[in-house]
Amino acid sequence: MKTNSTALHRRTFIQQTALTIAGASSLSALPMLGYASPYADDNLNIIGPLEGYSPQIGILVSMMAWNRASVINAVNGLTQQDLDFLIDDKSNTIGALLLHLAATDTVYQDLTFNNLKDFSDENKKKWGVAMELGDEGRKQIKGNNLDYYLNALHEVRQKTLDEFKKRDHKWLAQVDPHFFNNQPTNNFCKWFHVCEHESNHRGQITVIRKRLPGSKSKAE
């Protein structure tokens, strides 16, 4: 029987990583995330290649999956009222931040998969407010339950993953000569930005959750 080289690569990577960290005190600091990974191994806390993706794209996808699980864990159990809560008239709601994450995935799909300079016209109409937030975001993004936001995140991310499966390390390394700060930027950096951007807003979500009326959240 022919062995899938990507799956073998990942298993080897997991085994080597496990040997490296076995017994390390830092292991206990990893979050226990209530999230089922959609990937073949279901090893959410192992960053590495994933079956179905070229190795480097798989590593990126595993990082994005970890961040997404962290976000989902941070909003678990929130009500519509919680999702619509505003700390003040200049802040964003948790619901708006979740939709903003979906909008960010979408615009980077247009930037990197479709080689556009911004949203497509269709996506601009659908996601423009969620991307910009501000006063319009506070006016328009409210009244939705948690499933509404999680479904939006899942639908958009699934499209990203489907597109990643069509590409390889050469695409990931392709350089746009003028992007961040008008400097050369490759597709890997663009999508790593999507990843770290999600971490940034996850932190905001945690702060807001701790300030919900009557909150006893212990989220870190």
PDB file of all heavy atoms in Angstrom, residues 47 59-68 70-71 101 104-105 108 157 160 164 180 187-203:
ATOM      1  N   ILE A  47       1.294  22.247  15.729  1.00  0.00           N
ATOM      2  CA  ILE A  47       1.423  23.075  14.532  1.00  0.00           C
ATOM      3  C   ILE A  47       2.321  22.339  13.546  1.00  0.00           C
ATOM      4  O   ILE A  47       3.474  22.022  13.858  1.00  0.00           O
ATOM      5  CB  ILE A  47       2.025  24.452  14.873  1.00  0.00           C
ATOM      6  CG1 ILE A  47       1.138  25.177  15.899  1.00  0.00           C
ATOM      7  CG2 ILE A  47       2.207  25.288  13.613  1.00  0.00           C
ATOM      8  CD1 ILE A  47      -0.281  25.439  15.446  1.00  0.00           C
ATOM      9  N   ILE A  59       1.078  24.016   7.466  1.00  0.00           N
ATOM     10  CA  ILE A  59       1.555  24.642   8.701  1.00  0.00           C
ATOM     11  C   ILE A  59       0.778  25.939   8.968  1.00  0.00           C
ATOM     12  O   ILE A  59       0.340  26.192  10.102  1.00  0.00           O
ATOM     13  CB  ILE A  59       3.063  24.924   8.614  1.00  0.00           C
ATOM     14  CG1 ILE A  59       3.850  23.599   8.625  1.00  0.00           C
ATOM     15  CG2 ILE A  59       3.528  25.804   9.785  1.00  0.00           C
ATOM     16  CD1 ILE A  59       5.322  23.747   8.295  1.00  0.00           C
ATOM     17  N   LEU A  60       0.594  26.750   7.937  1.00  0.00           N
ATOM     18  CA  LEU A  60      -0.179  27.978   8.085  1.00  0.00           C
ATOM     19  C   LEU A  60      -1.615  27.674   8.508  1.00  0.00           C
ATOM     20  O   LEU A  60      -2.157  28.300   9.428  1.00  0.00           O
ATOM     21  CB  LEU A  60      -0.168  28.753   6.765  1.00  0.00           C
ATOM     22  CG  LEU A  60      -1.076  29.980   6.674  1.00  0.00           C
ATOM     23  CD1 LEU A  60      -0.651  31.053   7.669  1.00  0.00           C
ATOM     24  CD2 LEU A  60      -1.062  30.540   5.243  1.00  0.00           C
ATOM     25  N   VAL A  61      -2.230  26.708   7.865  1.00  0.00           N
ATOM     26  CA  VAL A  61      -3.608  26.335   8.178  1.00  0.00           C
ATOM     27  C   VAL A  61      -3.728  25.851   9.621  1.00  0.00           C
ATOM     28  O   VAL A  61      -4.698  26.176  10.319  1.00  0.00           O
ATOM     29  CB  VAL A  61      -4.119  25.264   7.189  1.00  0.00           C
ATOM     30  CG1 VAL A  61      -5.445  24.662   7.662  1.00  0.00           C
ATOM     31  CG2 VAL A  61      -4.291  25.867   5.797  1.00  0.00           C
ATOM     32  N   SER A  62      -2.749  25.090  10.099  1.00  0.00           N
ATOM     33  CA  SER A  62      -2.811  24.618  11.479  1.00  0.00           C
ATOM     34  C   SER A  62      -2.729  25.778  12.466  1.00  0.00           C
ATOM     35  O   SER A  62      -3.375  25.749  13.524  1.00  0.00           O
ATOM     36  CB  SER A  62      -1.717  23.583  11.741  1.00  0.00           C
ATOM     37  OG  SER A  62      -0.427  24.146  11.753  1.00  0.00           O
ATOM     38  N   MET A  63      -1.967  26.809  12.153  1.00  0.00           N
ATOM     39  CA  MET A  63      -1.921  27.993  13.012  1.00  0.00           C
ATOM     40  C   MET A  63      -3.255  28.736  12.989  1.00  0.00           C
ATOM     41  O   MET A  63      -3.753  29.183  14.029  1.00  0.00           O
ATOM     42  CB  MET A  63      -0.788  28.920  12.572  1.00  0.00           C
ATOM     43  CG  MET A  63       0.596  28.377  12.826  1.00  0.00           C
ATOM     44  SD  MET A  63       1.927  29.585  12.560  1.00  0.00           S
ATOM     45  CE  MET A  63       1.886  29.753  10.779  1.00  0.00           C
ATOM     46  N   MET A  64      -3.838  28.838  11.801  1.00  0.00           N
ATOM     47  CA  MET A  64      -5.135  29.508  11.676  1.00  0.00           C
ATOM     48  C   MET A  64      -6.218  28.735  12.414  1.00  0.00           C
ATOM     49  O   MET A  64      -7.112  29.328  13.030  1.00  0.00           O
ATOM     50  CB  MET A  64      -5.484  29.674  10.203  1.00  0.00           C
ATOM     51  CG  MET A  64      -4.562  30.643   9.466  1.00  0.00           C
ATOM     52  SD  MET A  64      -4.808  30.671   7.668  1.00  0.00           S
ATOM     53  CE  MET A  64      -6.430  31.439   7.549  1.00  0.00           C
ATOM     54  N   ALA A  65      -6.139  27.400  12.375  1.00  0.00           N
ATOM     55  CA  ALA A  65      -7.113  26.570  13.080  1.00  0.00           C
ATOM     56  C   ALA A  65      -7.009  26.766  14.587  1.00  0.00           C
ATOM     57  O   ALA A  65      -8.025  26.831  15.295  1.00  0.00           O
ATOM     58  CB  ALA A  65      -6.900  25.101  12.721  1.00  0.00           C
ATOM     59  N   TRP A  66      -5.769  26.854  15.092  1.00  0.00           N
ATOM     60  CA  TRP A  66      -5.579  27.053  16.537  1.00  0.00           C
ATOM     61  C   TRP A  66      -6.177  28.389  16.974  1.00  0.00           C
ATOM     62  O   TRP A  66      -6.877  28.475  17.974  1.00  0.00           O
ATOM     63  CB  TRP A  66      -4.090  26.997  16.866  1.00  0.00           C
ATOM     64  CG  TRP A  66      -3.787  26.708  18.302  1.00  0.00           C
ATOM     65  CD1 TRP A  66      -3.479  25.501  18.849  1.00  0.00           C
ATOM     66  CD2 TRP A  66      -3.764  27.656  19.377  1.00  0.00           C
ATOM     67  NE1 TRP A  66      -3.263  25.629  20.201  1.00  0.00           N
ATOM     68  CE2 TRP A  66      -3.442  26.941  20.563  1.00  0.00           C
ATOM     69  CE3 TRP A  66      -3.997  29.034  19.462  1.00  0.00           C
ATOM     70  CZ2 TRP A  66      -3.341  27.557  21.799  1.00  0.00           C
ATOM     71  CZ3 TRP A  66      -3.890  29.649  20.709  1.00  0.00           C
ATOM     72  CH2 TRP A  66      -3.568  28.914  21.862  1.00  0.00           C
ATOM     73  N   ASN A  67      -5.899  29.433  16.191  1.00  0.00           N
ATOM     74  CA  ASN A  67      -6.450  30.742  16.520  1.00  0.00           C
ATOM     75  C   ASN A  67      -7.975  30.734  16.479  1.00  0.00           C
ATOM     76  O   ASN A  67      -8.643  31.302  17.352  1.00  0.00           O
ATOM     77  CB  ASN A  67      -5.933  31.795  15.528  1.00  0.00           C
ATOM     78  CG  ASN A  67      -4.704  32.502  16.034  1.00  0.00           C
ATOM     79  OD1 ASN A  67      -4.205  32.223  17.103  1.00  0.00           O
ATOM     80  ND2 ASN A  67      -4.207  33.440  15.253  1.00  0.00           N
ATOM     81  N   ARG A  68      -8.535  30.082  15.449  1.00  0.00           N
ATOM     82  CA  ARG A  68      -9.987  30.049  15.337  1.00  0.00           C
ATOM     83  C   ARG A  68     -10.620  29.299  16.495  1.00  0.00           C
ATOM     84  O   ARG A  68     -11.663  29.712  17.025  1.00  0.00           O
ATOM     85  CB  ARG A  68     -10.369  29.410  13.994  1.00  0.00           C
ATOM     86  CG  ARG A  68     -11.875  29.252  13.749  1.00  0.00           C
ATOM     87  CD  ARG A  68     -12.659  30.560  13.869  1.00  0.00           C
ATOM     88  NE  ARG A  68     -12.111  31.631  13.071  1.00  0.00           N
ATOM     89  CZ  ARG A  68     -12.410  31.819  11.773  1.00  0.00           C
ATOM     90  NH1 ARG A  68     -13.210  30.985  11.140  1.00  0.00           N
ATOM     91  NH2 ARG A  68     -11.893  32.859  11.124  1.00  0.00           N
ATOM     92  N   SER A  70      -9.454  29.151  19.462  1.00  0.00           N
ATOM     93  CA  SER A  70      -9.352  30.058  20.598  1.00  0.00           C
ATOM     94  C   SER A  70     -10.478  31.082  20.594  1.00  0.00           C
ATOM     95  O   SER A  70     -11.065  31.393  21.638  1.00  0.00           O
ATOM     96  CB  SER A  70      -7.987  30.763  20.565  1.00  0.00           C
ATOM     97  OG  SER A  70      -7.847  31.660  21.642  1.00  0.00           O
ATOM     98  N   VAL A  71     -10.797  31.607  19.427  1.00  0.00           N
ATOM     99  CA  VAL A  71     -11.900  32.570  19.308  1.00  0.00           C
ATOM    100  C   VAL A  71     -13.222  31.908  19.679  1.00  0.00           C
ATOM    101  O   VAL A  71     -14.032  32.469  20.435  1.00  0.00           O
ATOM    102  CB  VAL A  71     -11.964  33.141  17.877  1.00  0.00           C
ATOM    103  CG1 VAL A  71     -13.258  33.926  17.657  1.00  0.00           C
ATOM    104  CG2 VAL A  71     -10.760  34.031  17.601  1.00  0.00           C
ATOM    105  N   LEU A 101     -13.929  39.469  11.576  1.00  0.00           N
ATOM    106  CA  LEU A 101     -12.985  38.391  11.250  1.00  0.00           C
ATOM    107  C   LEU A 101     -13.378  37.689   9.958  1.00  0.00           C
ATOM    108  O   LEU A 101     -12.526  37.361   9.135  1.00  0.00           O
ATOM    109  CB  LEU A 101     -12.908  37.398  12.403  1.00  0.00           C
ATOM    110  CG  LEU A 101     -12.348  37.920  13.726  1.00  0.00           C
ATOM    111  CD1 LEU A 101     -12.337  36.813  14.777  1.00  0.00           C
ATOM    112  CD2 LEU A 101     -10.944  38.498  13.549  1.00  0.00           C
ATOM    113  N   THR A 104     -12.473  39.928   7.102  1.00  0.00           N
ATOM    114  CA  THR A 104     -11.029  39.941   6.841  1.00  0.00           C
ATOM    115  C   THR A 104     -10.617  38.739   5.997  1.00  0.00           C
ATOM    116  O   THR A 104      -9.844  38.870   5.047  1.00  0.00           O
ATOM    117  CB  THR A 104     -10.251  39.966   8.163  1.00  0.00           C
ATOM    118  OG1 THR A 104     -10.646  41.118   8.917  1.00  0.00           O
ATOM    119  CG2 THR A 104      -8.754  40.032   7.914  1.00  0.00           C
ATOM    120  N   ASP A 105     -11.114  37.563   6.348  1.00  0.00           N
ATOM    121  CA  ASP A 105     -10.859  36.383   5.513  1.00  0.00           C
ATOM    122  C   ASP A 105     -11.296  36.650   4.073  1.00  0.00           C
ATOM    123  O   ASP A 105     -10.591  36.327   3.121  1.00  0.00           O
ATOM    124  CB  ASP A 105     -11.629  35.180   6.051  1.00  0.00           C
ATOM    125  CG  ASP A 105     -10.732  34.075   6.562  1.00  0.00           C
ATOM    126  OD1 ASP A 105      -9.925  34.354   7.468  1.00  0.00           O
ATOM    127  OD2 ASP A 105     -10.848  32.935   6.077  1.00  0.00           O
ATOM    128  N   TYR A 108      -9.042  39.069   2.067  1.00  0.00           N
ATOM    129  CA  TYR A 108      -7.773  38.450   1.690  1.00  0.00           C
ATOM    130  C   TYR A 108      -7.954  37.341   0.657  1.00  0.00           C
ATOM    131  O   TYR A 108      -7.023  37.046  -0.093  1.00  0.00           O
ATOM    132  CB  TYR A 108      -7.008  37.986   2.935  1.00  0.00           C
ATOM    133  CG  TYR A 108      -6.194  39.131   3.495  1.00  0.00           C
ATOM    134  CD1 TYR A 108      -6.772  40.062   4.352  1.00  0.00           C
ATOM    135  CD2 TYR A 108      -4.874  39.332   3.112  1.00  0.00           C
ATOM    136  CE1 TYR A 108      -6.051  41.153   4.821  1.00  0.00           C
ATOM    137  CE2 TYR A 108      -4.144  40.409   3.580  1.00  0.00           C
ATOM    138  CZ  TYR A 108      -4.737  41.323   4.429  1.00  0.00           C
ATOM    139  OH  TYR A 108      -4.011  42.404   4.880  1.00  0.00           O
ATOM    140  N   ARG A 157     -14.313  30.736   6.084  1.00  0.00           N
ATOM    141  CA  ARG A 157     -13.072  30.013   6.287  1.00  0.00           C
ATOM    142  C   ARG A 157     -13.025  28.748   5.423  1.00  0.00           C
ATOM    143  O   ARG A 157     -11.960  28.382   4.917  1.00  0.00           O
ATOM    144  CB  ARG A 157     -12.900  29.669   7.761  1.00  0.00           C
ATOM    145  CG  ARG A 157     -11.651  28.861   8.111  1.00  0.00           C
ATOM    146  CD  ARG A 157     -10.345  29.485   7.637  1.00  0.00           C
ATOM    147  NE  ARG A 157     -10.079  30.811   8.101  1.00  0.00           N
ATOM    148  CZ  ARG A 157      -9.530  31.120   9.276  1.00  0.00           C
ATOM    149  NH1 ARG A 157      -9.189  30.170  10.119  1.00  0.00           N
ATOM    150  NH2 ARG A 157      -9.299  32.382   9.591  1.00  0.00           N
ATOM    151  N   THR A 160     -11.736  29.679   2.162  1.00  0.00           N
ATOM    152  CA  THR A 160     -10.288  29.877   2.242  1.00  0.00           C
ATOM    153  C   THR A 160      -9.557  28.537   2.187  1.00  0.00           C
ATOM    154  O   THR A 160      -8.588  28.374   1.435  1.00  0.00           O
ATOM    155  CB  THR A 160      -9.927  30.615   3.541  1.00  0.00           C
ATOM    156  OG1 THR A 160     -10.507  31.935   3.520  1.00  0.00           O
ATOM    157  CG2 THR A 160      -8.425  30.744   3.707  1.00  0.00           C
ATOM    158  N   PHE A 164      -6.873  27.109  -0.511  1.00  0.00           N
ATOM    159  CA  PHE A 164      -5.521  26.710  -0.111  1.00  0.00           C
ATOM    160  C   PHE A 164      -5.161  25.336  -0.680  1.00  0.00           C
ATOM    161  O   PHE A 164      -4.006  25.075  -1.020  1.00  0.00           O
ATOM    162  CB  PHE A 164      -5.397  26.667   1.409  1.00  0.00           C
ATOM    163  CG  PHE A 164      -5.133  28.005   2.062  1.00  0.00           C
ATOM    164  CD1 PHE A 164      -5.469  28.205   3.396  1.00  0.00           C
ATOM    165  CD2 PHE A 164      -4.537  29.042   1.369  1.00  0.00           C
ATOM    166  CE1 PHE A 164      -5.217  29.414   4.023  1.00  0.00           C
ATOM    167  CE2 PHE A 164      -4.280  30.259   1.982  1.00  0.00           C
ATOM    168  CZ  PHE A 164      -4.620  30.448   3.309  1.00  0.00           C
ATOM    169  N   PHE A 180       2.201  45.687   2.328  1.00  0.00           N
ATOM    170  CA  PHE A 180       2.316  46.302   3.649  1.00  0.00           C
ATOM    171  C   PHE A 180       3.384  47.396   3.631  1.00  0.00           C
ATOM    172  O   PHE A 180       4.529  47.164   3.279  1.00  0.00           O
ATOM    173  CB  PHE A 180       2.677  45.250   4.700  1.00  0.00           C
ATOM    174  CG  PHE A 180       1.568  44.281   5.014  1.00  0.00           C
ATOM    175  CD1 PHE A 180       1.796  42.918   5.004  1.00  0.00           C
ATOM    176  CD2 PHE A 180       0.293  44.735   5.324  1.00  0.00           C
ATOM    177  CE1 PHE A 180       0.784  42.014   5.300  1.00  0.00           C
ATOM    178  CE2 PHE A 180      -0.734  43.853   5.609  1.00  0.00           C
ATOM    179  CZ  PHE A 180      -0.486  42.493   5.602  1.00  0.00           C
ATOM    180  N   ASN A 187       2.591  36.031  -0.178  1.00  0.00           N
ATOM    181  CA  ASN A 187       1.276  35.531   0.224  1.00  0.00           C
ATOM    182  C   ASN A 187       1.310  34.904   1.614  1.00  0.00           C
ATOM    183  O   ASN A 187       0.311  34.960   2.341  1.00  0.00           O
ATOM    184  CB  ASN A 187       0.762  34.523  -0.793  1.00  0.00           C
ATOM    185  CG  ASN A 187       0.283  35.178  -2.065  1.00  0.00           C
ATOM    186  OD1 ASN A 187      -0.248  36.292  -2.049  1.00  0.00           O
ATOM    187  ND2 ASN A 187       0.466  34.498  -3.189  1.00  0.00           N
ATOM    188  N   PHE A 188       2.445  34.330   1.985  1.00  0.00           N
ATOM    189  CA  PHE A 188       2.576  33.773   3.331  1.00  0.00           C
ATOM    190  C   PHE A 188       2.389  34.878   4.375  1.00  0.00           C
ATOM    191  O   PHE A 188       1.662  34.718   5.359  1.00  0.00           O
ATOM    192  CB  PHE A 188       3.944  33.107   3.491  1.00  0.00           C
ATOM    193  CG  PHE A 188       3.994  32.028   4.540  1.00  0.00           C
ATOM    194  CD1 PHE A 188       4.881  30.975   4.409  1.00  0.00           C
ATOM    195  CD2 PHE A 188       3.172  32.044   5.653  1.00  0.00           C
ATOM    196  CE1 PHE A 188       4.945  29.961   5.366  1.00  0.00           C
ATOM    197  CE2 PHE A 188       3.215  31.049   6.617  1.00  0.00           C
ATOM    198  CZ  PHE A 188       4.109  30.001   6.473  1.00  0.00           C
ATOM    199  N   CYS A 189       3.045  36.004   4.177  1.00  0.00           N
ATOM    200  CA  CYS A 189       2.920  37.116   5.121  1.00  0.00           C
ATOM    201  C   CYS A 189       1.487  37.654   5.162  1.00  0.00           C
ATOM    202  O   CYS A 189       0.971  37.982   6.227  1.00  0.00           O
ATOM    203  CB  CYS A 189       3.899  38.223   4.753  1.00  0.00           C
ATOM    204  SG  CYS A 189       3.909  39.609   5.919  1.00  0.00           S
ATOM    205  N   LYS A 190       0.852  37.725   4.004  1.00  0.00           N
ATOM    206  CA  LYS A 190      -0.522  38.238   3.956  1.00  0.00           C
ATOM    207  C   LYS A 190      -1.451  37.375   4.795  1.00  0.00           C
ATOM    208  O   LYS A 190      -2.257  37.873   5.586  1.00  0.00           O
ATOM    209  CB  LYS A 190      -1.012  38.313   2.518  1.00  0.00           C
ATOM    210  CG  LYS A 190      -0.305  39.385   1.690  1.00  0.00           C
ATOM    211  CD  LYS A 190      -0.799  39.390   0.253  1.00  0.00           C
ATOM    212  CE  LYS A 190      -0.022  40.403  -0.592  1.00  0.00           C
ATOM    213  NZ  LYS A 190      -0.500  40.456  -1.997  1.00  0.00           N
ATOM    214  N   TRP A 191      -1.320  36.052   4.648  1.00  0.00           N
ATOM    215  CA  TRP A 191      -2.204  35.174   5.402  1.00  0.00           C
ATOM    216  C   TRP A 191      -1.757  35.008   6.846  1.00  0.00           C
ATOM    217  O   TRP A 191      -2.587  34.773   7.737  1.00  0.00           O
ATOM    218  CB  TRP A 191      -2.362  33.834   4.685  1.00  0.00           C
ATOM    219  CG  TRP A 191      -3.360  33.986   3.569  1.00  0.00           C
ATOM    220  CD1 TRP A 191      -3.095  34.164   2.243  1.00  0.00           C
ATOM    221  CD2 TRP A 191      -4.774  34.034   3.711  1.00  0.00           C
ATOM    222  NE1 TRP A 191      -4.267  34.323   1.542  1.00  0.00           N
ATOM    223  CE2 TRP A 191      -5.315  34.237   2.420  1.00  0.00           C
ATOM    224  CE3 TRP A 191      -5.645  33.921   4.793  1.00  0.00           C
ATOM    225  CZ2 TRP A 191      -6.691  34.333   2.189  1.00  0.00           C
ATOM    226  CZ3 TRP A 191      -7.015  34.012   4.574  1.00  0.00           C
ATOM    227  CH2 TRP A 191      -7.520  34.211   3.284  1.00  0.00           C
ATOM    228  N   PHE A 192      -0.470  35.170   7.119  1.00  0.00           N
ATOM    229  CA  PHE A 192      -0.049  35.211   8.511  1.00  0.00           C
ATOM    230  C   PHE A 192      -0.649  36.429   9.198  1.00  0.00           C
ATOM    231  O   PHE A 192      -1.005  36.370  10.388  1.00  0.00           O
ATOM    232  CB  PHE A 192       1.479  35.234   8.629  1.00  0.00           C
ATOM    233  CG  PHE A 192       1.946  35.311  10.055  1.00  0.00           C
ATOM    234  CD1 PHE A 192       1.875  34.201  10.882  1.00  0.00           C
ATOM    235  CD2 PHE A 192       2.431  36.499  10.585  1.00  0.00           C
ATOM    236  CE1 PHE A 192       2.276  34.265  12.212  1.00  0.00           C
ATOM    237  CE2 PHE A 192       2.835  36.572  11.910  1.00  0.00           C
ATOM    238  CZ  PHE A 192       2.762  35.451  12.722  1.00  0.00           C
ATOM    239  N   HIS A 193      -0.779  37.521   8.466  1.00  0.00           N
ATOM    240  CA  HIS A 193      -1.442  38.703   9.017  1.00  0.00           C
ATOM    241  C   HIS A 193      -2.886  38.383   9.393  1.00  0.00           C
ATOM    242  O   HIS A 193      -3.366  38.820  10.446  1.00  0.00           O
ATOM    243  CB  HIS A 193      -1.411  39.855   8.019  1.00  0.00           C
ATOM    244  CG  HIS A 193      -2.321  40.989   8.400  1.00  0.00           C
ATOM    245  ND1 HIS A 193      -2.121  41.758   9.528  1.00  0.00           N
ATOM    246  CD2 HIS A 193      -3.449  41.458   7.812  1.00  0.00           C
ATOM    247  CE1 HIS A 193      -3.076  42.663   9.618  1.00  0.00           C
ATOM    248  NE2 HIS A 193      -3.910  42.493   8.602  1.00  0.00           N
ATOM    249  N   VAL A 194      -3.594  37.636   8.549  1.00  0.00           N
ATOM    250  CA  VAL A 194      -4.960  37.235   8.882  1.00  0.00           C
ATOM    251  C   VAL A 194      -4.960  36.463  10.204  1.00  0.00           C
ATOM    252  O   VAL A 194      -5.834  36.659  11.059  1.00  0.00           O
ATOM    253  CB  VAL A 194      -5.563  36.378   7.745  1.00  0.00           C
ATOM    254  CG1 VAL A 194      -6.939  35.842   8.148  1.00  0.00           C
ATOM    255  CG2 VAL A 194      -5.673  37.197   6.459  1.00  0.00           C
ATOM    256  N   CYS A 195      -3.954  35.611  10.376  1.00  0.00           N
ATOM    257  CA  CYS A 195      -3.826  34.806  11.588  1.00  0.00           C
ATOM    258  C   CYS A 195      -3.581  35.678  12.822  1.00  0.00           C
ATOM    259  O   CYS A 195      -4.277  35.567  13.838  1.00  0.00           O
ATOM    260  CB  CYS A 195      -2.690  33.808  11.384  1.00  0.00           C
ATOM    261  SG  CYS A 195      -2.525  32.543  12.663  1.00  0.00           S
ATOM    262  N   GLU A 196      -2.593  36.569  12.745  1.00  0.00           N
ATOM    263  CA  GLU A 196      -2.287  37.391  13.917  1.00  0.00           C
ATOM    264  C   GLU A 196      -3.364  38.440  14.169  1.00  0.00           C
ATOM    265  O   GLU A 196      -3.613  38.827  15.312  1.00  0.00           O
ATOM    266  CB  GLU A 196      -0.898  38.039  13.778  1.00  0.00           C
ATOM    267  CG  GLU A 196      -0.704  39.010  12.635  1.00  0.00           C
ATOM    268  CD  GLU A 196      -1.127  40.430  12.980  1.00  0.00           C
ATOM    269  OE1 GLU A 196      -1.223  40.729  14.182  1.00  0.00           O
ATOM    270  OE2 GLU A 196      -1.359  41.213  12.037  1.00  0.00           O
ATOM    271  N   HIS A 197      -4.031  38.880  13.116  1.00  0.00           N
ATOM    272  CA  HIS A 197      -5.154  39.802  13.240  1.00  0.00           C
ATOM    273  C   HIS A 197      -6.264  39.165  14.067  1.00  0.00           C
ATOM    274  O   HIS A 197      -6.888  39.811  14.912  1.00  0.00           O
ATOM    275  CB  HIS A 197      -5.643  40.160  11.828  1.00  0.00           C
ATOM    276  CG  HIS A 197      -6.887  40.966  11.773  1.00  0.00           C
ATOM    277  ND1 HIS A 197      -8.140  40.398  11.651  1.00  0.00           N
ATOM    278  CD2 HIS A 197      -7.090  42.310  11.782  1.00  0.00           C
ATOM    279  CE1 HIS A 197      -9.039  41.348  11.603  1.00  0.00           C
ATOM    280  NE2 HIS A 197      -8.441  42.513  11.685  1.00  0.00           N
ATOM    281  N   GLU A 198      -6.501  37.880  13.847  1.00  0.00           N
ATOM    282  CA  GLU A 198      -7.509  37.165  14.616  1.00  0.00           C
ATOM    283  C   GLU A 198      -7.109  37.079  16.086  1.00  0.00           C
ATOM    284  O   GLU A 198      -7.952  37.209  16.976  1.00  0.00           O
ATOM    285  CB  GLU A 198      -7.727  35.770  14.023  1.00  0.00           C
ATOM    286  CG  GLU A 198      -8.914  35.045  14.594  1.00  0.00           C
ATOM    287  CD  GLU A 198      -9.543  34.080  13.607  1.00  0.00           C
ATOM    288  OE1 GLU A 198      -9.551  34.351  12.393  1.00  0.00           O
ATOM    289  OE2 GLU A 198     -10.039  33.044  14.063  1.00  0.00           O
ATOM    290  N   SER A 199      -5.824  36.876  16.349  1.00  0.00           N
ATOM    291  CA  SER A 199      -5.345  36.861  17.738  1.00  0.00           C
ATOM    292  C   SER A 199      -5.590  38.198  18.419  1.00  0.00           C
ATOM    293  O   SER A 199      -5.996  38.258  19.586  1.00  0.00           O
ATOM    294  CB  SER A 199      -3.850  36.540  17.776  1.00  0.00           C
ATOM    295  OG  SER A 199      -3.579  35.224  17.413  1.00  0.00           O
ATOM    296  N   ASN A 200      -5.341  39.275  17.700  1.00  0.00           N
ATOM    297  CA  ASN A 200      -5.546  40.610  18.240  1.00  0.00           C
ATOM    298  C   ASN A 200      -6.998  40.803  18.670  1.00  0.00           C
ATOM    299  O   ASN A 200      -7.281  41.254  19.800  1.00  0.00           O
ATOM    300  CB  ASN A 200      -5.160  41.652  17.193  1.00  0.00           C
ATOM    301  CG  ASN A 200      -5.433  43.070  17.640  1.00  0.00           C
ATOM    302  OD1 ASN A 200      -4.989  43.500  18.690  1.00  0.00           O
ATOM    303  ND2 ASN A 200      -6.196  43.811  16.844  1.00  0.00           N
ATOM    304  N   HIS A 201      -7.922  40.444  17.799  1.00  0.00           N
ATOM    305  CA  HIS A 201      -9.333  40.652  18.126  1.00  0.00           C
ATOM    306  C   HIS A 201      -9.840  39.638  19.147  1.00  0.00           C
ATOM    307  O   HIS A 201     -10.785  39.929  19.884  1.00  0.00           O
ATOM    308  CB  HIS A 201     -10.174  40.632  16.857  1.00  0.00           C
ATOM    309  CG  HIS A 201      -9.984  41.868  16.027  1.00  0.00           C
ATOM    310  ND1 HIS A 201     -10.194  43.137  16.521  1.00  0.00           N
ATOM    311  CD2 HIS A 201      -9.587  42.034  14.735  1.00  0.00           C
ATOM    312  CE1 HIS A 201      -9.938  44.032  15.576  1.00  0.00           C
ATOM    313  NE2 HIS A 201      -9.559  43.381  14.490  1.00  0.00           N
ATOM    314  N   ARG A 202      -9.218  38.483  19.216  1.00  0.00           N
ATOM    315  CA  ARG A 202      -9.566  37.538  20.267  1.00  0.00           C
ATOM    316  C   ARG A 202      -9.284  38.177  21.631  1.00  0.00           C
ATOM    317  O   ARG A 202     -10.065  38.030  22.578  1.00  0.00           O
ATOM    318  CB  ARG A 202      -8.763  36.259  20.094  1.00  0.00           C
ATOM    319  CG  ARG A 202      -9.283  35.058  20.910  1.00  0.00           C
ATOM    320  CD  ARG A 202      -8.771  35.048  22.323  1.00  0.00           C
ATOM    321  NE  ARG A 202      -9.041  33.767  22.972  1.00  0.00           N
ATOM    322  CZ  ARG A 202      -8.920  33.547  24.259  1.00  0.00           C
ATOM    323  NH1 ARG A 202      -8.526  34.525  25.072  1.00  0.00           N
ATOM    324  NH2 ARG A 202      -9.173  32.362  24.780  1.00  0.00           N
ATOM    325  N   GLY A 203      -8.173  38.897  21.725  1.00  0.00           N
ATOM    326  CA  GLY A 203      -7.869  39.597  22.967  1.00  0.00           C
ATOM    327  C   GLY A 203      -8.924  40.631  23.313  1.00  0.00           C
ATOM    328  O   GLY A 203      -9.338  40.755  24.475  1.00  0.00           O
TER     329      GLY A 203
END
